[in-house]
Amino acid sequence: MTERISDAEHAVMEVLWKRAPLTATEVADQVVQEKDWSLQTVKTLLSRLAAKAVVGTERDGRRFLYSPLVERDAYLTGVSRNFVDRLFGGKVMPLVAHLAEADELSAEDIREIEELLRELKK
Amino acid sequence: MTERISDAEHAVMEVLWKRAPLTATEVADQVVQEKDWSLQTVKTLLSRLAAKAVVGTERDGRRFLYSPLVERDAYLTGVSRNFVDRLFGGKVMPLVAHLAEADELSAEDIREIEELLRELKK
DNA sequence: CGTCAGTGACTACATGTGTAGTTTCATCGA
DNA sequence: TCGATGAAACTACACATGTAGTCACTGACG
């Protein structure tokens, strides 16, 4: 069971998944461009992630370098699975159907998915 | 902005979406078959949902009858959209790709989705 | 008529989450 | 050497959530 990552923490992870290791300040600089948080907030989130062993810390002189310990792919697979299980009884079809009915699928999306499925069948 | 429904609350909603209106006790009877909660817990969840106007209450003598005020479809569309936005930048393809790579898609799933997409293109 | 069972209302309480402020400690530059 | 700076650590605090206990009321039943 992968450790739970909250929404706010997720924003921090996205930065680290893009580039790592980074110092807290570097992470905050990135995050602040998206979310309107203070430096302290980002540091707290980093601490919590470190406490949960979702990011690792490496001492670099007087400061720390943070790196993800969980891979983005693994994380996404986990939450997606959980999501589909909880809301759609584990079936992907109803999810796609829903998005489709709600006009959330562009023609582009549809083409891409078809392509992907064709690949899968090989 | 549809009111936030927590995980526990969602379990209660599923019961009401299946059949409504129901009394608190009737809801609890159903929910307890899934989750190992006490009657009180279910009542609390119903109160919170009523407070958020996600379910409506109708007096029936000395007790209340509860009915959903939010449709299941609308709710699912909302959370799906939110989920895909937050985790996959609004694109459905990466989500499907993820589930596919993690072997979460059966051949059956794939056929069904293809069928659905074919329909959509008409 | 008094009691009990069922029901909603109110209260509780630990943990998680969003969002920071304050303290302390080390180091770098003057 | 000494103070300013910057970074981590510790503390804070309100609201959400999971999970439930207790109270008060009311109608049914003996």
Side-chain angles (χ1 to χ4, degrees):
Chain A
M1 74 213 77
T2 311
E3 280 288 355
R4 168 94 200 134
I5 296 177
S6 79
D7 279 13
E9 287 164 357
H10 179 239
V12 170
M13 289 306 288
E14 283 297 341
V15 168
L16 284 175
W17 277 323
K18 225 172 291 172
R19 197 158 57 84
L22 293 179
T23 69
T25 309
E26 286 168 339
V27 173
D29 284 349
Q30 301 283 314
V31 171
V32 163
Q33 286 172 22
E34 289 284 316
K35 311 282 186 170
D36 194 23
W37 295 338
S38 84
L39 170 68
Q40 295 311 322
T41 298
V42 177
K43 283 189 177 177
T44 298
L45 294 172
L46 277 172
S47 298
R48 289 178 184 172
L49 288 166
K52 284 189 286 199
V54 172
V55 308
T57 58
E58 172 196 353
R59 185 139 234 146
D60 171 40
R62 78 194 115 174
R63 60 228 181 117
F64 280 107
L65 294 178
Y66 296 86
S67 324
L69 291 181
V70 174
E71 285 189 48
R72 186 163 192 275
D73 259 29
Y75 172 71
L76 287 185
T77 300
V79 289
S80 299
R81 174 112 208 79
N82 187 276
F83 178 78
V84 172
D85 278 358
R86 272 205 318 107
L87 275 77
F88 295 94
K91 307 287 288 173
V92 177
M93 221 274 286
L95 168 60
V96 176
H98 243 85
L99 294 168
E101 269 170 41
D103 275 333
E104 300 286 359
L105 287 184
S106 65
E108 176 74 9
D109 284 330
I110 293 177
R111 256 202 317 102
E112 285 178 341
I113 294 174
E114 281 187 321
E115 171 87 24
L116 172 70
L117 294 181
R118 242 191 314 280
E119 280 305 311
L120 280 180
K121 287 206 298 191
K122 286 186 194 161
Chain B
M1 75 213 80
T2 310
E3 280 291 355
R4 170 91 199 136
I5 296 177
S6 80
D7 280 12
E9 289 164 355
H10 179 237
V12 171
M13 289 306 289
E14 284 297 344
V15 169
L16 285 175
W17 276 323
K18 225 171 293 172
R19 197 158 58 84
L22 293 179
T23 68
T25 308
E26 286 167 340
V27 173
D29 284 349
Q30 301 283 314
V31 171
V32 163
Q33 287 172 24
E34 289 284 314
K35 311 280 184 170
D36 194 23
W37 294 339
S38 82
L39 171 68
Q40 295 312 320
T41 298
V42 177
K43 283 188 177 180
T44 298
L45 294 172
L46 277 172
S47 297
R48 287 179 183 172
L49 288 167
K52 285 190 285 201
V54 172
V55 307
T57 57
E58 172 197 353
R59 187 139 233 146
D60 171 40
R62 78 193 118 179
R63 60 226 180 120
F64 280 107
L65 294 179
Y66 297 86
S67 323
L69 291 182
V70 174
E71 285 189 47
R72 185 163 193 273
D73 259 29
Y75 173 71
L76 287 184
T77 300
V79 290
S80 300
R81 175 113 208 79
N82 188 276
F83 179 79
V84 171
D85 278 358
R86 273 205 317 109
L87 274 79
F88 295 95
K91 308 287 287 172
V92 177
M93 218 274 286
L95 168 59
V96 176
H98 245 84
L99 293 168
E101 267 170 43
D103 278 331
E104 302 286 0
L105 287 185
S106 65
E108 176 73 9
D109 285 330
I110 294 176
R111 263 200 308 102
E112 285 179 343
I113 296 174
E114 279 186 323
E115 171 88 23
L116 173 69
L117 294 181
R118 242 191 314 280
E119 282 303 312
L120 281 179
K121 287 204 299 192
K122 286 185 192 161

